[in-house]
Structure formats: C-alpha cells, structure tokens
Amino acid sequence: MGVGIRVENLNAWYGKTQALQDINLNVQANHATALIGPSGCGKSTFIRCLNRMHETTPEARVEGKVKIGEHDAYDGTSATKLRRRIGMVFQKPNPFPTMSIYENVAAGLKLNGYHDRKHLDEVVEKSLVSSALWEEVKDSIHKKSGASLSGGQQQRLCIARALAVEPEVLLMDEPCSALDPISTGKIEELIFELKAQYTIVIVTHNMQQAARVAEYTGFFLLGRLIEYGKTEKIFTNPSDKRTEDYITGRFG
Amino acid sequence: MRTRFQQGLDELRQKLLKMGGLAEQAVDRACQAYLDRDLTRCQMVLEGETQINISERQIDELAFDLLAMQQPMAVDLRFILAVTKINADLERVGDQAVNIAERVMDMVSLPAVDLPVDIGRMSAAVSAMVRRSLESFIEAKAELAQAVLEMDNVVDRMRDEAFITLVKTMNERPETTRQALDALLVARNLERVADHATNIAEDVIFWVRGADVRHNAPQEGNGQEQPAQRAASETH
C-alpha cells in the first residue's frame, strides 16, 4: 500500500544557487499528485529530494524534513534502503539495453539478493501485468531485449521494473513527454489503476495530463510552491494570480 | 502570451456583444409594437430572428473551436462556458420577442380595448434587466450582475398582478377575453425574458468570481474571489 509523504521546510541548493525555498507539502497516500510549473521552477528537484537523488549531484545539498510514511528520509537511513521504497520513472525510458525484458524487471530484486527462480517468475509476471505490458510481451520476455521494445512499451517496462521491488511511492518525472498520444493514454490509464496500491507523484509539463490523472496539483514557480490543492480547483478557479497566469498561458 | 488564443477570446466576446445587441433590440421593438399597436415593428422582430439564429450558431462554432484547439483553463475556460450559456439565453430572448410580436399582431386584428395592465412599466423593468446583464458582461462586474438578480422578483410580482387583474377582466368583460389573453401571454413572455437576463447575470458571476450562484447555491470560495475577479477584468 502507498504511504503519505510529509515535507516540511524543505530547501535545496545546487552549489550556491537555491533551487527550492521552504517547501511545505503533504502528499496524500494512494492518490496521484501532479507538480506543474515552468522549466527550472524546482519541481524535478523537489521529487529528487524525496528519494534523495538530489544529493547525488555534485555540490548539491538539502535542508528540511521529508517523511515517507512514518520514516524520516534524512535521519541517517541509507539512501539505497529508502529508494527501495520509492520507485522512479524518468522522462526518457531507460531499460538496461543488453538485458532481456525478464532480466530488466528482475534486476532490482536480484540486486536485493532474491534469486529464487519461482519467486522471480511470479514477481516479473505480476509487475508486467500491473504495468499493462504483459499481454504484449509474454511470449518473448526471455528472447527480446528491453531496447527492442517501442518507446511506450519501454516506459511501461521501466514502470514494471520500478514496481517489482514493491515500493510504496512511485515518482514520475515527465513520464510521457517522449511518447505518442496512444502510449501516453496507456500510461495515464496505468497511473489511474496504480493509485490503488501506490502513492504517485508526477511531474508534468502537460497540464491536461495533470488534470486527467491527478487528484491534487501543486504549482511551483522560482523554487517556491505557490499553490497546492484539489486539481479541479487549480484548473478551474485557482486562488493565486500567478497560478492563473501560468495555466492560462499569460506568462511572459 | 498566447496571442492567437487571446484574439479568439476577443472575437468571441465581440460576437456575443453583437448578439446581445440584437436580442435587446428585438425585445424593445416588440414592447414598443405592443404599446403603439405597430405592425411594422412586429415584422422587424420576426425578420430579425434569422440574424439572431445565425449569430447563435457562429458563437457556438467559435466557442467549440477554442475549446477543442486551445484547451482553455481557469478564467478562460469559465469565460467560454459562460459565453455559450449566455448565447443560448440570448437566442431564447429573441424567441420571446417573436412570441410578443405575434401576440401584438393578433391584438391589432381585434378592436382596441382598455386593459388594467401596465405592460409599459413591465417592459421597462425587463429591458433594464437585459441591458444591465449585458453591461455586467462587458465590464466583467459581478456587482452589476448581482443587481440584476435582485430585480427578478419585482418582475415576477408584476406578472402575478397582471395574471390576477386580467383573469378578473375576462370574467367581468367576456367580450375582451382574447385581448386580455394576448396581454397575459405578453406579460408571461416578458417575465421569461427577465428569467433569461437572470441566467445571464448568474453566468457573468460564474465567469468573474468562479462561483455558482444558480438556484441560490451556496457561494463557494469566497476567499478566492478577488484574484479570479482581477483576472477576468484584466483580460477581457
């Protein structure tokens, strides 16, 4: 099951440049939350702080509190252990190119020391079913490499790979920006179904997509969270003039 | 800035204003035709309906295109939805004007009789409601629209009074029944025009404030009215 995320006074820097300023946000468990805002506003940095990927960038640092469920993400727990609970899907599908479909999905489990063949078979199938890819690839999961799939299939393979380690949270950083409308539709349907089991945070530049998949939406601007609330409210009658200007395209 | 989109919204606004002018003119002409027993004006109302119907279709087509091609959000989305609803109300206002003109044509074919109903006063009130509802749209002012809502009760009362006195006349002077019935239908048509003006005012409030005030619905998001109102008045 998904868990809620509680962020308090989060600040993040790249060297001397502050990328996030005093972010306070509660992400609801088992819901999809969309983060929108112009390029460079801090939304990707924000989700990278949730799974402690931000600190992997040279000279980057974070201050503040992030609680994933009951656990403090920055209390000394190892980042690897944390990331096991938080799956991530990126803008460009990035399957391991030389591995088969099966090996791609099983990779995370194997890294975590699971080698029982029967167990791996079960998890691979379950994950591919969950990511709505199973029917399309079930006859060739050992023969075909991840890289041989179409872009949309590769992205669903990456989702299956993230789901295989049974995370509680799924972070998606513009997961459909490189996909055609049909593949995008499939991923959006998938997000809708995955909410039952996972907490989803999705960064997107496509506002219609945010409106379609997310119950909550946050608007970031210049490193600050300007407005956060129910998606229908944000897109029909936002409270802040800056949100209104951004979503109606009056910026600049 | 989405220039082409803004141009589309401006065009939609201009077309609706023109439509509003036509509907307002139709009601005024029909009422004047009643007061003067003027068949020429009746004819003008009947002929004007075609243009109103053409305008209605053009506005719907443009609104539909903007929705499909530009995916409007927030204040722009509310604006386009409000325009399509106001458009439908204005077309119905045109229909009511035609109904009034037809009643007048019937009355003119009959002997003139003195009836205890002040259609002139009622039409002045109704015209003011239509005019103010359109002004509230032009100026994106929810306060003006609010004033229109408050006038609706006055017109309702006038219609009720007309009903009572005209039914009484029919009983007491049966030879005037047809004229009295025509006058009663005119009063009812005017009251319906007032209802459409009320709908228009409600749609303006929805566009400007993002609040649904139909059927005395509770006003939501009072705290958010100012930014939404500012956005509506700045951009339109």
Side-chain angles (χ1 to χ4, degrees), chain A residues 207-208 211 233-241 244-245 247-252, chain B residues 1-2 6 9 71 73-76 78 209-210 224 227-228 230-231 234-236:
Chain A
M207 283 180 282
Q208 275 70 34
K233 172 86 172 68
I234 300 276
F235 287 114
T236 59
N237 193 10
S239 300
D240 195 287
K241 178 78 169 58
E244 177 101 36
D245 285 349
I247 63 173
T248 56
R250 288 190 174 78
F251 250 42
Chain B
M1 197 74 177
R2 299 160 71 189
Q6 289 304 323
L9 292 178
Q71 285 102 38
M73 293 277 191
V75 66
D76 299 333
R78 298 200 305 270
R209 291 186 176 160
Q224 285 83 46
R230 195 170 52 228
E234 271 175 14
T235 53
H236 297 283

Side-chain angles (χ1 to χ4, degrees), chain A residues 91-113:
Chain A
Q91 187 171 357
K92 230 177 130 202
N94 55 354
F96 303 122
T98 56
M99 290 185 186
S100 68
I101 294 169
Y102 182 98
E103 287 167 334
N104 259 285
V105 181
L109 288 170
K110 285 185 176 171
L111 271 174
N112 286 307

Side-chain angles (χ1 to χ4, degrees), chain A residues 35 59 75 92 98 111 115-116 178 184 195 234 237:
Chain A
L35 304 179
E59 292 186 43
D75 71 347
K92 230 177 130 202
T98 56
L111 271 174
H115 293 286
D116 175 51
T184 298
K195 277 189 284 197
I234 300 276
N237 193 10

